Amino acid sequence: TIKGFAFDMDGVLADTAKFHTIAWHQIADEVGTTWTPELEESLKGIDRMGSLALIMDAGGVADKYDQTARENLATKKNTQYRELISTLTPDDILPGMQKFLDELKAAGYQMSVASASKNAPFIIERLGLTDYFKSVVDPASVTAGKPDPAIFAAAADVLGLQPSEVIGIEDSAAGIQSINGAGETSVGIGDKDVLKAANINFGSTADVTLAAIEAAW
Ligand code: B16
Ligand code: MG
């Protein structure tokens, strides 16, 4: 039996993917990497330094930047990203998700957040969603980021649940891999071709309801 839900944040709860894109696109321009839709998709769910490494690899410029230079670029990206997200309000909750959270809360499910973002607690607060979640997993506390199962395993753990009792919800291929690896049921939101490893697929957050998930599992 399912007793809890573990939520990804960027692209599932919060409409923040567009802000990550703005900030990373500028860094890509700076290091000389051509921005493509494929590169943009591949950064979803990948932590900050990992995303920067993917951008450098795509442009074949990895050997030009040492650790200090990388940290400077990552800080620059995050400074711009923080500026963009400082304006977030509950209006930036993705369509249907507030209603879905209310539905889950009323039905007695436990909820946690499994986001790769170090900015997650700030964003959840800005969206006014803090009280729905028993815990927001600190991505710095897990040994490896998505696609490793560690973060979704931790998201079940903080709820005191077995992985088999948890449904994980994600918009990234790396995140679906993490959920599946942790032994949870995976729900993918977005392009079905990108998220083909998910147990259940939805095209958009607006389609996600408890009834639709129950019908599929
Ligand atoms: P930060 P999620 C991920 O969040 C984003 O999808 C990814 O694009 C971003 O690089 C990562 O968080 C780290 O974010 O720089 O704020 O620590 O989708 O796992 O909620
Ligand atoms: Mg995401």
Side-chain angles (χ1 to χ4, degrees):
T1 18
I2 297 300
K3 295 181 181 165
F5 284 77
F7 284 82
D8 175 46
M9 182 188 67
D10 290 324
V12 170
L13 295 171
D15 193 8
T16 42
K18 61 190 180 195
F19 297 141
H20 280 297
T21 294
I22 292 169
W24 279 132
H25 193 153
Q26 280 189 15
I27 299 293
D29 287 349
E30 189 173 332
V31 302
T33 294
T34 307
W35 191 258
T36 63
E38 293 72 29
L39 177 59
E40 181 176 335
E41 186 64 42
S42 75
L43 303 182
K44 286 187 188 167
I46 306 301
D47 66 26
R48 203 177 303 161
M49 295 307 281
S51 295
L52 180 61
L54 287 174
I55 289 168
M56 290 184 169
D57 287 345
V61 296
D63 53 355
K64 286 207 252 171
Y65 298 89
D66 64 11
Q67 188 59 21
T68 310
R70 284 167 189 251
E71 275 160 21
N72 289 339
L73 285 166
T75 301
K76 189 169 174 181
K77 183 268 176 176
N78 194 51
T79 303
Q80 208 214 339
Y81 180 67
R82 292 283 304 196
E83 214 166 283
L84 294 167
I85 61 175
S86 68
T87 61
L88 286 173
T89 71
D91 286 339
D92 297 292
I93 298 170
L94 281 162
M97 292 317 271
Q98 175 101 50
K99 202 171 163 223
F100 180 54
L101 290 171
D102 281 326
E103 223 182 347
L104 294 181
K105 193 177 168 188
Y109 289 101
Q110 304 226 62
M111 295 178 258
S112 59
V113 174
S115 170
S117 176
K118 292 181 172 152
N119 295 300
F122 172 77
I123 291 169
I124 300 282
E125 182 72 42
R126 293 282 323 173
L127 299 180
L129 296 178
T130 305
D131 292 344
Y132 287 95
F133 301 103
K134 186 167 177 191
S135 178
V136 177
V137 175
D138 177 3
S141 73
V142 296
T143 47
K146 302 169 188 179
D148 190 277
I151 191 159
F152 273 96
D157 214 50
V158 293
L159 299 178
L161 298 177
Q162 294 301 314
S164 59
E165 298 173 317
V166 172
I167 290 181
I169 309 189
E170 262 286 349
D171 72 317
S172 71
I176 293 294
Q177 210 178 315
S178 174
I179 296 169
N180 291 345
E184 297 162 8
T185 299
S186 54
V187 170
I189 302 177
D191 188 337
K192 215 183 157 166
D193 290 329
V194 174
L195 306 175
K196 50 183 175 289
N199 299 125
I200 304 169
N201 288 88
F202 292 101
S204 129
T205 54
D207 305 328
V208 181
T209 62
L210 187 51
I213 290 177
E214 277 168 351
W217 93 50

